[in-house]
Amino acid sequence: MKAVDLLKRITEVPTFKKYGRVSRVVGLMIESNGPASSIGDVCKIHVHSSHTGHQEILAEVVGFKDDIVVLMPFTSLKDISIGCLVEGTNQPLEIKVGPELIGKILDSMGRPIDGSLLPRGLATVQTEGEPPNPLTRPPINDTLEVGVKAIDGMLTVGNGQRIGIFAGSGVGKSTLLGMIARNTKADLNVIALIGERGREVREFIERDLGPEGLKRSIVVAATSDQPALMRIKGAFTATAIAEYFREQGLNVMLMMDSVTRVAMAQREVGLATGEPPAQKGYTPSVFAILPKLLERTGTNEKGSITAFYTVLVDGDDMNEPIADTVRGILDGHIVLDRNLANRGQYPAINILKSVSRLMNHIATPEHVVAATKLRELYYTYMKNEDLINIGAYKRGSSQEVDQAIQYEPIITSFLKQGFMDPVSMEQTVNELTNLARGVM
């Protein structure tokens, strides 16, 4: 380090610390008389317990009431009492990042869940970041292979595109993410498991992701039993890690399951700080935080982050507030259909309700024509499916319907894929174009 830089660092070191004291605990919130802080700053609450001795509980400044600082802890409220010392840091949450983290499973604070120590030599980054300047974002011109035929063939994804995976519970979101993580041609995977059951975290890592997928991934897990702030920070931590590797010139794949649980956690924080509920109980801060989080991914002048965000839709309602908001922000959406899953079609992607907004710009003209033709045939069959099933349609009445009936089993077979059966982009496009030539 140069002498000038060292001198600057020394002059920036605070010569005194700011303290306050806990005055009240209400619900999820801690109220403190001081210290002087800003929104987003991390504070340390010094707690003394006969069982655990002295502890430092980290909390974040989430609001103010007159001269009172309102804090939300990253852990439980246990052992916090009136008069506990609150130490201000005047810093937002920071994490350590570097290539040495690849293959590790971290918590929302960037610490290994297995209790091991972080490797040395990691860089320090803040979890809160700003989206790239719109004028510095290069246009997306390259396709990214994900190894799933229904996506590569019918919903081609660009390198740096942001896609939402919309589905109800139990339709195969996590399994689809595991397929993408194992098969993608991206340089690195960053996977955020937000609000998952504790049982599902290990199952996803061992069964869906697998050892090969974990070797090229960093997993950030914030389970459903953790405080709302930890679930929110899990999403921001994973995004910050992906941003770090994008700055190194890599093409990163970020997968977040699920952004709906991030919104639910923010709703908890908003209601606890006194925000009025708006749409379906979601507070205004929820709809403010979503674009701030989702817009941070994508391309910049150095690298790219291709992002897949899963969205839980209650009762398979695609128009509920969070689904509607996220769909308007992202560059496309993949809808998993429960009816297709009930038929045994996996992945249960409904190609008629799904769209990639960049496919027409990044795929070859022959590929686009072939995908459009198959989509038209599939739509014709689905529109007349009830008539066909009850025998009300007579063959020969419509050439288009006859052709749709003939090719529907072939199209369905093309869209099906085993969980452990990767298919290359080249193979998918060849199969798709050959199928379309037979139709035309």
Side-chain angles (χ1 to χ4, degrees), residues 117-339:
L117 296 177
L118 283 170
R120 293 185 178 182
L122 300 177
T124 301
V125 299
Q126 293 185 358
T127 59
E128 300 279 348
E130 293 296 326
N133 187 310
L135 298 182
T136 65
R137 286 185 185 264
I140 298 172
N141 298 314
D142 303 322
T143 61
L144 178 68
E145 180 179 327
V146 299
V148 180
K149 288 199 295 182
I151 298 176
D152 285 340
M154 307 299 293
L155 305 161
T156 309
V157 174
N159 201 6
Q161 188 172 350
R162 301 160 305 146
I163 295 282
I165 300 176
F166 295 73
S169 57
V171 188
K173 297 184 300 300
S174 297
T175 304
L176 180 58
L177 287 182
M179 289 178 67
I180 295 171
R182 289 194 308 272
N183 303 332
T184 181
K185 296 301 181 184
D187 298 323
L188 173 72
N189 300 318
V190 179
I191 303 170
L193 303 176
I194 310 298
E196 292 283 345
R197 304 175 188 90
R199 170 185 62 82
E200 292 179 334
V201 172
R202 183 169 180 176
E203 285 185 3
F204 174 83
I205 293 167
E206 294 182 355
R207 183 185 63 195
D208 297 327
L209 186 59
E212 291 302 315
L214 185 59
K215 283 180 183 177
R216 51 201 295 266
S217 303
I218 299 173
V219 180
V220 178
T223 53
S224 58
D225 60 292
Q226 294 181 351
L229 199 57
M230 285 290 275
R231 282 174 270 147
I232 297 169
K233 291 302 176 185
F236 281 85
T237 293
T239 304
I241 292 172
E243 286 174 327
Y244 170 83
F245 287 102
R246 178 177 62 185
E247 290 299 310
Q248 311 307 309
L250 299 183
N251 296 321
V252 185
M253 174 74 77
L254 172 66
M255 287 171 277
M256 189 175 295
D257 185 17
S258 70
V259 72
T260 306
R261 295 193 178 107
V262 177
M264 290 177 174
Q266 181 60 38
R267 177 174 62 183
E268 285 184 42
V269 174
L271 292 173
T273 53
E275 282 190 76
Q279 299 182 55
K280 285 198 173 181
Y282 289 103
T283 57
S285 63
V286 174
F287 302 100
I289 199 177
L290 287 175
K292 285 179 59 179
L293 176 64
L294 304 181
E295 286 288 350
R296 288 170 62 181
T297 54
T299 59
N300 72 359
E301 63 274 14
K302 295 181 180 178
S304 69
I305 302 174
T306 306
F308 283 86
Y309 299 97
T310 68
V311 181
L312 285 166
V313 286
D314 294 333
D316 298 325
D317 176 16
M318 291 294 297
N319 296 314
E320 62 97 22
I322 299 303
D324 200 41
T325 301
V326 172
R327 188 166 55 244
I329 297 171
L330 299 180
D331 307 317
H333 53 274
I334 296 170
V335 177
L336 301 187
D337 194 317
R338 193 176 300 277
N339 291 329

